[in-house]
Amino acid sequence: MEVIVCVKRVPMVGGRIVLTPDGQRIDTKLLGFTVSPHEECAVEEAVRLVEANGGAVTVLTLGPPEAEEQLRDAVALGASKCVLLETGEREFGPIATAEAIVAAVRERGGYDLLLFGNEAADTGDFQVGIRVAHMLGLPVATGIKSLEVDPGSRRAKARRQYRGAEELFELPLPAVVTVKEGINLPRYPSLPGRIRAKKAAVETSTPVWRDDGLSKRELSLPEVERRHAEVLGQGKEAVPALVSVLESIGLLT
Amino acid sequence: MRVLLTIEHDVDGVLDSSLRAATLARELSGSEGEVVGCLFARGPVAEPVAEPVAAALGEQGISRCFTVELPYAPVAWARSLAAIGAELGADAVVAAATDRGNEVMAHLGAITGYPMAANCFACEEGETAATGVMSLLVTRQRWAGSLVESANLAADRLLLTVATDAVQPVPSDLGRPAELVVFDPPLEEGDADIVAIESQEESGGVSLASARVVVSGGRGVGSPEGFAVLEELASLLGGAVGVSRAVTSLGWRPHSEQVGQTGTRVTPDLYMACGISGAIQHLAGCQSAKTMIAINTDGDAPIMTRADYAVIGDVGEVLPALVEAIKARS
Ligand SMILES: Cc1cc2nc3c(=O)[nH]c(=O)nc-3n(C[C@H](O)[C@H](O)[C@H](O)COP(=O)(O)OP(=O)(O)OC[C@H]3O[C@@H](n4cnc5c(N)ncnc54)[C@H](O)[C@@H]3O)c2cc1C
Ligand SMILES: Nc1ncnc2c1ncn2[C@@H]1O[C@H](COP(=O)(O)O)[C@@H](O)[C@H]1O
């Protein structure tokens, strides 16, 4: 079973976002980097499938040279091959990203499953996996929270929730599946995993940029009302005041 | 502009998210333009559903709506929108940014090769290029609403989804119901191969997404056992338990309870954040709560700039005392 997982490097923002003065990007001077939780789960799902059925996991990312870090993180969890589609100054939109991934995947061939996150953490474009599927002529299921693959019949059952009910999709392999956090609980990297990660070779190529028709002009922070919480008190002493608040909003009668 | 709007509905009628999307679609169409609906239904749209649906659309200023009889097969839905869009000469196709809306519009983008802008909440017509390519200035959510992007969308047909939590619905009553027109989509082989097989089962208890009260716990709750008191409080207040990602990552609680960017979005009257620091990804899921109360040992935690009320203290001390006080009242 050959599985390719696509992950995207994003800044790890915590309590608040700081933008660069030109409003073009998040100021990352003081930040670490990660991938979306959906993608962490996609890596874990890929590793589990390969542990159960044999084969290998290839992790692929399109991004700056530093995105190698996210590839190595995936190796520490059980991926074995790394592909970096190295971009320069220009930001790739979802169509350009999908085209670059498709070119890399076509060149490699021999895959049974392509796993993506349902949406990237930063842009939230909700489409790269679907575009890749169409370009490769493959079936796709999105937002998946449970995946069963039968290597014998080469079919997969993918489940998700929609408005309280369960939806099941049946797909022939090879297929594209985009997953959501909750499909599994990702493991922590092992020590041998970390050692493997340090040594892993990264295949690098430079994809062609193209204009997507969707171009960023500026980023800004949403207008949220910054409040100063009214402190009701310290510890247990605050309970009577807390009860009054619950009464005032009509929760206790 | 002529805008084609995807309408989603359930047994109770047209979804609120579709009605909100109609507001942005109307704005986009402009005073001279028109919004035409497209409603997908598993069976023929006949009495008794047709009447309330047509009335609801009329109240949104939609005078005609195509109905397509299809189960949820995302490619087939997208193919239908492509065909109707072509027949109408639609300048734009719009859907609410629900799971289905985003999925179907992404398929439509892939089928047509046009860009698709997800989670927009405002738009303004830009200049049409000499080549005839239209351009639209869109404002959209990134990082699940923690960041806003203004972007330029340029294409022969503009595809976008609407972040409905950021759009205030403004009705524009036509005073008459929409005319429903059956459309038979020209599907291609395989379009309906990937189709949702739906189960009817609903999960029991108060659902997190629709709970009026959410008692949420973070790493500060300290252990899986620490959640017993949150459960008790939630049940006393008729609410549901929520958690932060720190808690699900530790395996203390199931992911179905996670609130935030990669969890559930909640819109309760009361959100109690207990031992939760207030990372933007967590707030993305709870910031539309009417009232927020934070219980935290750290008076400088980021949650303090979003909460209405705060108790500075240990969850393990405050919550049991609160539960006792509430019980003592009855
Ligand atoms: C792309 C992305 C998506 C994400 N999606 C989500 C998401 O959907 N939901 C989500 O929640 N997070 C999400 N996160 C993670 C998020 O950034 C935070 O890491 C997470 O929300 C932190 O959880 P926490 O507040 O419980 O833990 P911490 O940040 O560790 O905070 C614990 C808090 O508890 C307080 N505390 C400690 N002890 C006590 C005590 N005894 N009594 C009272 N208070 C105490 C501390 O002062 C602190 O404020 C996401 C992150 C990324 C990068
Ligand atoms: N630059 C990238 N490199 C690798 N994978 C990506 C990249 N951008 C998006 N993806 C994948 O596509 C999914 C959906 O992204 P998006 O359509 O941008 O929301 C992500 O969760 C990733 O799995």
Side-chain angles (χ1 to χ4, degrees), chain A residues 10-11 13-17 19 26 36-38 40 91 95 119 121-127 130-131 134 139-140 142 145 160-172 180-182 185 188 212-222 224-236 238-239 242-243 245-247 249 251-253, chain B residues 8 10 15 72 74-75 98-100 102-103 106-107 109-111 113-119 137 140-143 145-154 194-199 201-203 212-213 237 245 248-249 251 255 258 261-262 270 278-281 291 293 302 304-313 317-318 321-322 325-326 329:
Chain A
V10 296
V13 277
R16 67 193 192 105
I17 292 182
L19 295 173
I26 292 178
S36 158
H38 298 324
E40 284 177 20
E91 271 177 59
I95 299 179
E119 84 272 4
D122 57 346
T123 51
D125 286 320
F126 289 84
Q127 56 189 269
I130 291 175
R131 287 191 187 270
H134 278 263
V140 52
T142 73
K145 288 268 191 109
R160 69 178 186 191
Q161 297 295 124
Y162 190 66
R163 299 173 59 75
E166 190 190 77
E167 291 181 336
L168 164 69
F169 297 89
E170 293 187 333
L171 312 108
K180 274 196 182 171
E181 189 184 24
L185 189 56
Y188 290 99
D212 251 59
L214 179 62
S215 39
K216 176 178 75 186
R217 292 165 60 114
E218 198 172 42
L219 299 176
S220 60
L221 297 175
V224 283
E225 205 191 323
R226 274 185 96 73
R227 299 172 208 173
H228 250 305
E230 181 187 331
V231 177
L232 300 173
Q234 312 274 333
K236 266 199 283 216
V239 167
L242 207 44
V243 170
V245 169
L246 298 184
E247 279 171 349
I249 56 179
L251 286 172
L252 296 175
T253 45
Chain B
E8 282 184 81
D10 64 9
L15 298 191
Y72 186 60
V75 181
T98 58
D99 287 347
R100 284 188 175 177
N102 278 331
E103 180 176 39
H107 278 288
I111 288 171
Y114 294 138
M116 190 279 274
N119 290 305
L137 198 58
R140 55 183 291 253
Q141 294 181 337
R142 281 190 171 207
W143 286 95
S146 305
L147 199 58
V148 172
E149 173 189 12
S150 74
N152 206 58
L153 177 63
I194 306 302
V195 58
I197 302 159
E198 290 170 61
S199 79
E201 86 198 53
E202 292 274 331
S203 46
R212 282 191 56 218
V213 175
L237 298 175
R245 181 164 181 251
T248 52
S249 301
H255 183 269
Q258 183 176 314
Q261 178 170 349
T262 51
L270 173 65
I280 57 160
Q281 301 91 354
T291 302
I293 302 177
M304 298 298 168
T305 63
R306 291 296 183 83
D308 301 278
Y309 303 99
V311 175
I312 314 298
E317 178 193 328
V318 178
L322 177 60
I326 294 174
R329 294 163 45 92

Side-chain angles (χ1 to χ4, degrees), chain B residues 29-48:
Chain B
S29 72
S31 50
E32 305 293 298
E34 184 192 11
V35 178
V36 179
C38 177
L39 177 110
F40 295 91
R42 302 188 123 260
V45 180
E47 301 302 337

Side-chain angles (χ1 to χ4, degrees), chain A:
Chain A
M1 179 105 180
E2 293 296 317
V3 188
I4 301 179
V5 192
C6 294
V7 300
K8 181 178 188 184
R9 174 181 169 91
V10 296
M12 213 187 298
V13 277
R16 67 193 192 105
I17 292 182
V18 179
L19 295 173
T20 53
D22 63 1
Q24 287 302 302
R25 45 186 64 87
I26 292 178
D27 185 342
T28 54
K29 272 201 294 287
L30 301 171
L31 300 178
F33 286 82
T34 182
V35 301
S36 158
H38 298 324
E39 293 154 27
E40 284 177 20
C41 289
V43 171
E44 175 68 29
E45 198 65 16
V47 171
R48 289 186 190 185
L49 282 168
V50 162
E51 281 171 350
N53 302 298
V57 176
T58 300
V59 56
L60 181 155
T61 193
L62 174 142
E66 296 80 11
E68 211 181 289
E69 180 191 350
Q70 279 59 49
L71 296 175
R72 293 191 190 279
D73 287 350
V75 172
L77 298 172
S80 48
K81 296 174 206 158
C82 301
V83 178
L84 171 65
L85 308 179
E86 196 180 312
T87 58
E89 281 296 290
R90 282 182 144 159
E91 271 177 59
F92 279 54
I95 299 179
T97 302
E99 283 183 352
I101 292 173
V102 165
V105 163
R106 274 218 177 101
E107 201 187 323
R108 306 182 64 83
Y111 51 83
D112 302 296
L113 194 61
L114 298 178
L115 292 181
F116 291 81
N118 187 61
E119 84 272 4
D122 57 346
T123 51
D125 286 320
F126 289 84
Q127 56 189 269
V128 169
I130 291 175
R131 287 191 187 270
V132 166
H134 278 263
M135 290 174 193
L136 291 171
L138 298 180
V140 52
T142 73
I144 295 309
K145 288 268 191 109
S146 149
L147 182 63
E148 280 166 57
V149 176
D150 178 14
S153 65
R154 294 188 58 74
R155 291 191 72 81
K157 284 187 176 163
R159 292 184 168 82
R160 69 178 186 191
Q161 297 295 124
Y162 190 66
R163 299 173 59 75
E166 190 190 77
E167 291 181 336
L168 164 69
F169 297 89
E170 293 187 333
L171 312 108
L173 300 185
V176 173
V177 173
T178 84
V179 311
K180 274 196 182 171
E181 189 184 24
I183 187 172
N184 55 40
L185 189 56
R187 70 193 70 189
Y188 290 99
S190 61
L191 188 61
R194 281 187 208 177
I195 295 166
R196 262 200 322 273
K198 276 204 188 109
K199 293 195 199 140
V202 177
E203 258 178 63
T204 306
S205 60
T206 35
V208 199
W209 180 87
R210 64 101 112 189
D211 178 6
D212 251 59
L214 179 62
S215 39
K216 176 178 75 186
R217 292 165 60 114
E218 198 172 42
L219 299 176
S220 60
L221 297 175
E223 289 164 32
V224 283
E225 205 191 323
R226 274 185 96 73
R227 299 172 208 173
H228 250 305
E230 181 187 331
V231 177
L232 300 173
Q234 312 274 333
K236 266 199 283 216
E237 287 151 29
V239 167
L242 207 44
V243 170
S244 307
V245 169
L246 298 184
E247 279 171 349
S248 72
I249 56 179
L251 286 172
L252 296 175
T253 45

